[in-house]
Amino acid sequence: MIAIYPGSFDPITLGHLDIIQRGSRLFTKVIVAVLRNPNKTPLFSIQKRLEQIRHSVEHLPNVEADAFDGLTVNYAHMRGAAVLLRGLRAISDFEIELQMAHINKTLSIDIETVFLATSNEYSFLSSSVVKEIARFGGSVDHLVPPHIALDIYQCYAQNHP
Ligand code: COD
């Protein structure tokens, strides 16, 4: 069974990677799908995010990364996926995720959303937190893979010479 793991991944964190790694043991294939979102100004381009994800999942043969536009359920149909994989960190996630799962169900009855609870050590972790720490000069070495930490430091060094 193929699962889509959709998100912004700006950038991908160890919390996301934990969900991907665990998902890769449950499904025959996991497609990490990055939304091309014209309403957001990301830190990293789609190409860069795909590169970061691909480098981070090199050791997982049944995981791939791709970009998509429009509705996630349409993309899932196009890729032959029956599951949307999502991560849950806290009650605040639950409200948003439940609403999204219900909306997606109204759009496509045959696609199920499967939630994995965050691992304890990543329950506080988000891409926004990573960016905020780095923006104020803190270390993100314990929150993202080393190659992504370098990208982030480089990005903020360029923005704040
Ligand atoms: N531990 C566990 N899970 C985590 C962690 C962590 N530390 N950090 C993030 N996650 C989970 C999130 O809960 C989420 O499930 C997933 O990882 C991705 O997170 P993000 O923040 O990168 O991505 P989102 O949540 O902003 O992505 C939203 C979508 C792009 C999936 C959504 O907006 C979407 O489907 N848009 C397309 C339009 C559409 O289909 N709309 C209808 C549905 S609303």
Side-chain angles (χ1 to χ4, degrees), residues 4-148:
I4 302 285
Y5 182 42
S8 312
F9 307 112
D10 184 37
I12 196 159
T13 69
L14 295 181
H16 292 126
L17 287 167
D18 176 59
I19 298 290
I20 293 168
Q21 177 125 13
R22 289 158 58 204
S24 74
R25 294 197 288 264
L26 299 173
F27 301 102
T28 47
K29 188 195 261 192
V30 174
I31 301 169
V32 184
V34 185
L35 176 69
R36 283 196 194 91
N37 189 344
N39 301 323
K40 277 192 183 172
T41 310
L43 182 61
F44 294 110
S45 68
I46 289 280
Q47 260 336 99
K48 187 70 191 174
R49 276 179 274 165
L50 287 174
E51 203 181 284
Q52 291 170 336
I53 295 167
R54 286 179 184 137
H55 190 168
S56 308
V57 301
E58 274 172 348
H59 60 297
L60 299 171
N62 64 335
V63 177
E64 67 171 76
D66 193 12
F68 76 104
D69 299 295
L71 292 176
T72 300
V73 291
N74 290 350
Y75 176 73
H77 277 297
M78 203 257 289
R79 296 301 312 263
V83 167
L84 301 181
L85 179 62
R86 300 289 287 168
L88 282 180
R89 284 161 296 187
I91 292 287
S92 49
D93 271 355
F94 181 77
E95 278 186 31
I96 298 162
E97 292 291 343
L98 190 66
Q99 184 188 30
M100 223 184 275
H102 284 316
I103 292 171
N104 282 328
K105 203 68 182 164
T106 66
L107 295 170
S108 177
I109 192 79
D110 50 358
I111 293 189
E112 294 293 342
T113 301
V114 170
F115 298 104
L116 289 185
T118 181
S119 294
N120 259 346
E121 65 265 44
Y122 303 128
S123 57
F124 62 92
L125 182 51
S126 67
S127 302
S128 313
V129 161
V130 167
K131 286 181 278 192
E132 181 154 323
I133 293 172
R135 192 181 320 124
F136 292 118
S139 168
V140 296
D141 293 352
H142 56 308
L143 306 176
V144 295
H147 60 102
I148 297 180

